[in-house]
Amino acid sequence: MKVRFLALLRKFGGPLASPRIFYGLAMVILAVCIATILVWWLVAREKTQTLVLYSGQRGGTYQPLAEEIANLIEREHSEINIEVRESEGSVANLRRLTEDERGHSLAIVQNDVLVPESMSPGDAGAIRSLLPLHQGVVHFLVPVKSRIHSIADLRGKVIAEGLRESGTPAIVDALLRHYEVSDDEVERRFLSLEDACAALQEGEVDAVILAMGLKSSKLEHLSEKMPLRLVGIGNDIDPGSEIEGFRLTFPFVKATYIPKYAYSPQREDRPGIPDRAVATIGVRAVLVGHRDLPDLVANRIARTLVENKSSLARSHPSAAQITEHFDPVQLQFPIHHGAHRYFHRDDPGFLQKNAEVLGFLLSMLIALTGFLLSGRQWMMQRRKDRIDAYYIELDRLIDPIHRENPSLETLRRTEEKLREMQHRAIHQLANEKLVADESFRIFQVLLSEGRQDLRRMIEEKSAD
């Protein structure tokens, strides 16, 4: 048993530390790493992603903006294809977004839009904001000779306010409640943008209330066909204004103005409207996506829109309002993780944020490493001292035998001491008090030769 153990020590004690085997193992490990990276690259290579972008009604501002966004992203990223689809509005967009099981859908929605009651909290929790876009405003339109000058004047009137699944009805609900106009006092018609403009022109409705971006082509054309007037929500947007009071119950909007002559008909007999800035309600249009939209895709979309907003604004002026500097708390839906990484790309990294702590830990690590190295050196020295002690003891036992003519009994006692020495050395080796290095192997060879000489001398003495 001892012989087998010693053979194993001789076999594995030194060859593993040889440079040839070490570098061989290193090359194998390097080859495995390269192969792993190559497989990962082949699996993770970019594949063409087809997304659907739900916009809004034709003639509004969402639909042309969505088309420009799709063209820009496809131009900048050949691996992304975007199909733009018209829709009834923000509520419909949310519904379609959550119905997409693949999570490859985008939509433009008003930031104030209420999640439909038919959608479960889990469905709503799947929606993520990618980037705020332009600010839409509430357009309160009446014929120029109308006696309607405020929301309260809508009692007994007929209004058109956009389709049921657009974002406008929720704003109209809140405005009517705020101004204490009951549903019994006003007739509300849910019409598309095109039908609402036609109804106002034909006199079928008394007013149109629509939330959309400025410079809608439909409203521009309507202002050319009939004299219009834009009614304000209150008189101003100063602190303490009516709009600020309204925001206490409808917080996702802000006070803003429709600037003077925002709509300028190409007719000399029709002046631009409004003839002065009109106080109204502004609401952000937000590009949203599904929670399962790949992080890399969301990151590229956000980056592309922010970095190319100037070129986007040439064809769609409201895109000039795109910015990465916004308060995410003011968004109804949380930021998508991929977009979040882009917006916070310049934030201090983990190392910068924790430089002092990491410096302290590094100092402690260096000190601990020094302590461990000192301890290791001390242990190695103790092991060396032990093997040196064995050398001295072996020399003390073997040397007198070769210089003197010992008796048979002395030879046998010496042999027993050598056997006990070997047992003690192996025991200390097993307890890691000795190391199976070259010194130990030399000791084993000397010990073995000494025992063989003793055995020969004992045999000779016994024969005499």
Side-chain angles (χ1 to χ4, degrees), residues 222-239:
L222 181 62
S223 66
E224 292 180 1
K225 294 177 180 179
M226 65 177 295
L228 294 173
R229 177 163 50 84
L230 278 162
V231 180
I233 310 296
N235 296 319
D236 56 58
I237 64 172
D238 296 332

Side-chain angles (χ1 to χ4, degrees), residues 53-70 84-90 93 107-110 133-139 166-168 192-194 197 210-221 258 262-263 283-287 312-313 315-322:
L53 173 54
Y54 297 104
S55 56
Q57 303 170 49
R58 185 164 295 278
T61 53
Y62 286 6
Q63 198 270 340
L65 176 59
E67 291 181 348
E68 293 297 334
I69 288 175
V84 178
R85 295 183 185 175
E86 295 181 34
S87 77
E88 295 181 357
S90 295
N93 288 351
I108 301 177
V109 301
Q110 289 177 198
L133 301 174
H134 65 280
Q135 177 175 269
V137 296
V138 172
H139 292 70
S166 67
T168 303
S192 67
L193 172 60
E194 185 174 3
C197 291
L210 293 170
M212 64 181 70
L214 290 171
K215 304 300 289 184
S216 162
S217 60
K218 286 292 182 184
L219 296 189
E220 195 83 65
H221 294 156
I258 296 177
Y263 295 93
V283 57
R284 270 285 183 185
V286 182
L287 180 64
L312 190 63
S315 54
H316 199 92
S318 64
Q321 300 175 30
I322 292 176

Side-chain angles (χ1 to χ4, degrees), residues 69-254:
I69 288 175
N71 292 335
L72 173 62
I73 294 173
E74 289 179 350
R75 185 169 64 249
E76 296 293 322
H77 303 284
S78 59
E79 74 281 3
I80 301 177
N81 292 331
I82 298 182
E83 176 187 348
V84 178
R85 295 183 185 175
E86 295 181 34
S87 77
E88 295 181 357
S90 295
V91 178
N93 288 351
L94 291 182
R95 193 188 313 281
R96 292 175 181 176
L97 197 66
T98 56
E99 290 172 352
D100 179 14
E101 296 180 355
R102 296 188 311 133
H104 286 187
S105 296
L106 305 169
I108 301 177
V109 301
Q110 289 177 198
N111 189 47
D112 67 305
V113 66
L114 299 177
V115 176
E117 294 181 358
S118 59
M119 288 174 56
S120 67
D123 290 337
I127 301 171
R128 294 291 182 268
S129 299
L130 269 68
L131 180 70
L133 301 174
H134 65 280
Q135 177 175 269
V137 296
V138 172
H139 292 70
F140 185 177
L141 285 164
V142 297
V144 70
K145 296 182 178 180
S146 172
R147 296 183 179 181
I148 298 174
H149 297 279
S150 69
I151 296 292
D153 294 337
L154 291 175
R155 292 183 177 90
K157 305 298 183 182
V158 180
I159 61 173
E161 56 181 271
L163 297 172
R164 289 185 182 275
E165 294 216 313
S166 67
T168 303
I171 296 178
V172 175
D173 284 341
L175 284 170
L176 293 178
R177 284 196 304 270
H178 184 72
Y179 284 91
E180 300 179 346
V181 179
S182 67
D183 285 342
D184 296 335
E185 295 178 297
V186 63
E187 181 181 342
R188 299 168 63 180
R189 295 184 183 179
F190 303 98
L191 305 175
S192 67
L193 172 60
E194 185 174 3
D195 290 342
C197 291
L200 186 65
Q201 185 179 0
E202 297 297 326
E204 297 175 2
V205 298
D206 299 300
V208 171
I209 301 179
L210 293 170
M212 64 181 70
L214 290 171
K215 304 300 289 184
S216 162
S217 60
K218 286 292 182 184
L219 296 189
E220 195 83 65
H221 294 156
L222 181 62
S223 66
E224 292 180 1
K225 294 177 180 179
M226 65 177 295
L228 294 173
R229 177 163 50 84
L230 278 162
V231 180
I233 310 296
N235 296 319
D236 56 58
I237 64 172
D238 296 332
S241 66
E242 294 180 45
I243 296 177
E244 290 301 318
F246 173 70
R247 293 186 68 241
L248 296 177
T249 55
F250 207 78
F252 290 105
V253 298
K254 63 179 296 185

Side-chain angles (χ1 to χ4, degrees), residues 412-428:
R412 286 175 176 170
R413 282 200 305 270
T414 302
E415 183 186 24
E416 183 63 28
K417 289 180 181 179
L418 291 181
R419 186 184 299 112
E420 186 274 334
M421 182 189 298
Q422 184 181 37
H423 174 75
R424 189 163 17 105
I426 292 175
H427 182 72
Q428 287 189 335

Side-chain angles (χ1 to χ4, degrees), residues 320-341:
Q321 300 175 30
I322 292 176
T323 177
E324 61 181 304
H325 304 293
F326 60 90
D327 184 358
V329 177
Q330 294 182 354
L331 298 180
Q332 184 173 185
F333 303 107
I335 297 292
H336 192 287
H337 180 66
H340 180 273
R341 280 168 40 200

